[in-house]
Amino acid sequence: MTTFKASQSPRQRVGRPQTTGPMTVAQIADAAVDKPLPFHLTAFDGSSTGLADSAIGAHLADHRGLTYVLTAPGDLGLARAYIAGDLEFSGVHPANLYPLLRAMADGLHLRRPALSEMASIARGLGLRALKPIGPPAQEAPPRWRRAIRGLRHSKSRDADAIHRHYDVSNTFYEYVLGPSMAYTCAVYPDQGASLEQAQEAKFKLVFDKLGLHEGERLLDIGCGWGSMVRYAARRGVRALGVTLSAEQAEWAQRAIDEEGLGDLAEVRFQDYRDVSEDGFDAISSIGLTEHIGVANYPSYFTELHQILRPGGRLLNHCITRPENNTAFRTAPFIDRYVFPDGELTGSGRIISIMQDIGFEVRHSENLREHYALTLRDWCHNLERNWEACVAEVGMATAKVWGLYMSASRLAFERNNIQLHQVLAVRPGPHGDSAVPLRPWWSG
């Protein structure tokens, strides 16, 4: 290996070698980047490259990991190798890979290897190393294979996707989410607020935007563990929550009973499309729209419009893209390990569809910085309870959560994704919106 002199860089680094024979792992890595790796990489063949004095290191432990990386370039191959235990990191905790991912985002500059380099790689590895192998057990099947569960966003396929992500373990989620059991973006009153304070502030914001009063009726769609339902019921609102996760529904109903809220609150294991009641004063949809498919937005918002009374309000809270004209599908790692069949689009598209259905949009705000802070605190919870989480769900699943939450935090910070709350009303027959002249909430 050729080492650049210290005068060429304030940090010691390994340069791209000139070779005509089989390439080492380090040489393969160097062939794929324009600049040295922003961390120190070592491999099972004894080679190394990158910043030798970096506090963050990566070690490719075996041939299987190399095959994962080479046969699924990008985030999916790296995730497979990491989750399977073939790619190991040092200097960062598996519950919080944010420092590593930030270093990669700032300093990793990929390039396409030259044909001669690609030939050398293939010659050195052999065809066997380039033959795809089975992924870790935590990976969902590709989209085309999921069709056995029905068309995308059919009731059966949606139920399967929700089960895969949300029915991991209620105990695991208790460790990660904390007492609020809220798995959606919190709202931080200030930088020093705790996660619990921020989640309480989120529920207050939703409650106040919806203008709810004692005795009114709320439907919370995709209610999770019933946190919004219980918040509303404590204030005298009759609240119904529905979720496609049986484990969530069981946990939520038990929490309702323990608080003595059974006369006001209910959580059902039910698809929102099967809710038979109507005439609701308000509907909250907090973190559901990402799961239903953009093509289904018109039917989704039509359904909500029909079961909301005239003058009733809808608060739609969901992850969005910064633009409205890109592909809906999520990145391969998120699709295969986190939210199968998930789709994202811009807030403009969501608002347009809501308006076309007949909703009058009264307010929209972007809370992406708040979601970055929420994910930071979830990662801290995961790290603090790491051993218990691993005991509950296994090392591989715990690593999936640490990776995806760390990556999502960075994505919100860098404005790659956003979080929008959109407040709308179903106007009365003569256009009455029944809202005050100026915003009536704070926070």
Side-chain angles (χ1 to χ4, degrees):
M1 303 295 289
T2 302
T3 303
F4 282 92
K5 296 179 180 178
S7 60
Q8 291 180 279
S9 169
R11 291 184 174 182
Q12 184 181 3
R13 64 188 186 183
V14 179
R16 183 177 295 127
Q18 300 298 319
T19 179
T20 57
M23 299 173 72
T24 65
V25 171
Q27 290 170 332
I28 293 172
D30 285 337
V33 295
D34 274 330
K35 296 181 180 180
L37 296 173
F39 51 84
H40 187 225
L41 173 67
T42 59
F44 59 88
D45 61 358
S47 63
S48 63
T49 188
L51 299 176
D53 62 346
S54 174
I56 300 174
H59 178 67
L60 192 62
D62 53 35
H63 284 280
R64 183 178 68 175
L66 183 60
T67 298
Y68 276 140
V69 172
L70 293 175
T71 56
D75 65 349
L76 184 58
L78 290 170
R80 285 173 173 171
Y82 172 64
I83 292 162
D86 305 316
L87 180 61
E88 304 160 353
F89 299 120
S90 58
V92 290
H93 194 283
N96 188 5
L97 297 175
Y98 173 78
L100 167 67
L101 299 177
R102 186 177 61 184
M104 292 175 65
D106 291 338
L108 188 62
H109 303 276
L110 299 177
R111 74 178 186 94
R112 183 181 296 275
L115 288 177
S116 60
E117 292 170 318
M118 295 177 66
S120 182
I121 293 171
R123 205 166 44 244
L125 295 174
L127 293 178
R128 182 179 179 183
L130 299 176
K131 181 180 179 179
I133 56 177
Q138 288 69 30
E139 183 170 314
R143 288 180 182 246
W144 64 269
R145 283 186 56 194
R146 295 177 214 158
I148 195 171
R149 292 289 296 168
L151 296 175
R152 190 162 63 250
H153 301 299
S154 64
K155 289 182 179 180
S156 60
R157 188 157 158 182
D158 279 352
D160 187 62
I162 293 300
H163 167 74
R164 172 175 285 272
H165 186 79
Y166 292 97
D167 289 345
V168 173
S169 160
N170 285 334
T171 300
F172 173 77
Y173 278 109
E174 289 173 0
Y175 286 131
V176 175
L177 303 181
S180 73
M181 285 299 279
Y183 193 26
T184 48
C185 174
V187 176
Y188 287 73
D190 54 67
Q191 290 286 343
S194 69
L195 175 62
E196 290 309 305
Q197 290 170 332
Q199 290 292 9
E200 183 77 4
K202 185 265 298 295
F203 294 126
K204 182 180 186 302
L205 180 63
V206 172
F207 188 90
D208 290 349
K209 282 183 175 180
L210 290 173
L212 285 163
H213 296 94
E214 184 176 350
E216 292 188 324
R217 298 170 63 222
L218 167 70
L219 172 64
D220 187 33
I221 300 178
C223 67
W225 291 270
S227 300
M228 184 68 214
V229 169
R230 286 180 286 122
Y231 182 94
R234 293 186 203 115
R235 287 149 184 84
V237 171
R238 291 177 291 161
L240 168 64
V242 294
T243 173
L244 281 177
S245 166
E247 291 192 17
Q248 284 183 336
E250 181 182 356
W251 192 101
Q253 195 58 51
R254 184 169 62 249
I256 288 170
D257 294 339
E258 289 174 354
E259 285 196 50
L261 299 172
D263 58 335
L264 288 171
E266 178 188 1
V267 168
R268 299 175 187 164
F269 173 45
Q270 185 178 44
D271 193 293
Y272 75 90
R273 287 163 284 197
D274 295 328
V275 174
S276 59
E277 296 91 336
D278 58 14
F280 290 97
D281 298 289
I283 298 174
S284 52
S285 176
I286 308 175
L288 174 67
T289 320
E290 302 92 327
H291 299 291
I292 64 174
V294 176
N296 293 324
Y297 284 5
S299 60
Y300 172 68
F301 287 114
T302 296
E303 174 75 16
L304 304 192
H305 191 272
Q306 291 173 345
I307 61 177
L308 191 65
R309 68 165 175 80
R313 298 173 192 170
L314 164 67
L315 189 289
N316 195 79
H317 168 125
C318 71
I319 300 171
T320 56
R321 295 194 186 277
E323 65 287 314
N324 299 287
N325 56 357
T326 56
F328 304 142
R329 293 185 179 184
T330 54
F333 165 65
I334 295 294
D335 179 63
R336 302 288 281 274
Y337 283 92
V338 186
F339 296 116
D341 291 335
E343 295 181 357
L344 302 178
T345 190
S347 61
R349 184 184 299 273
I350 295 171
I351 289 172
S352 293
I353 294 172
M354 292 173 73
Q355 291 173 328
D356 291 343
I357 294 305
F359 280 107
E360 181 185 8
V361 173
R362 303 296 304 199
H363 186 266
S364 173
E365 65 175 316
N366 184 359
L367 298 170
R368 69 176 177 86
E369 293 88 354
H370 294 263
Y371 217 155
L373 294 173
T374 306
L375 287 154
R376 175 202 65 186
D377 288 346
W378 287 343
C379 284
H380 288 168
N381 283 347
L382 179 59
E383 182 173 357
R384 184 164 50 249
N385 299 297
W386 180 252
E387 291 184 3
C389 287
V390 170
E392 181 67 22
V393 300
M395 177 63 76
T397 298
K399 287 166 71 174
V400 168
W401 256 251
L403 175 58
Y404 115 75
M405 291 194 301
S406 299
S408 297
R409 173 187 173 185
L410 185 65
F412 281 108
E413 287 182 349
R414 300 296 172 92
N415 196 28
N416 295 323
I417 48 178
Q418 301 175 345
L419 187 288
H420 275 84
Q421 281 193 355
V422 177
L423 177 65
V425 62
R426 176 184 174 180
H430 302 294
D432 181 18
S433 64
V435 298
L437 292 176
R438 298 298 300 151
W440 54 93
W441 64 89
S442 61

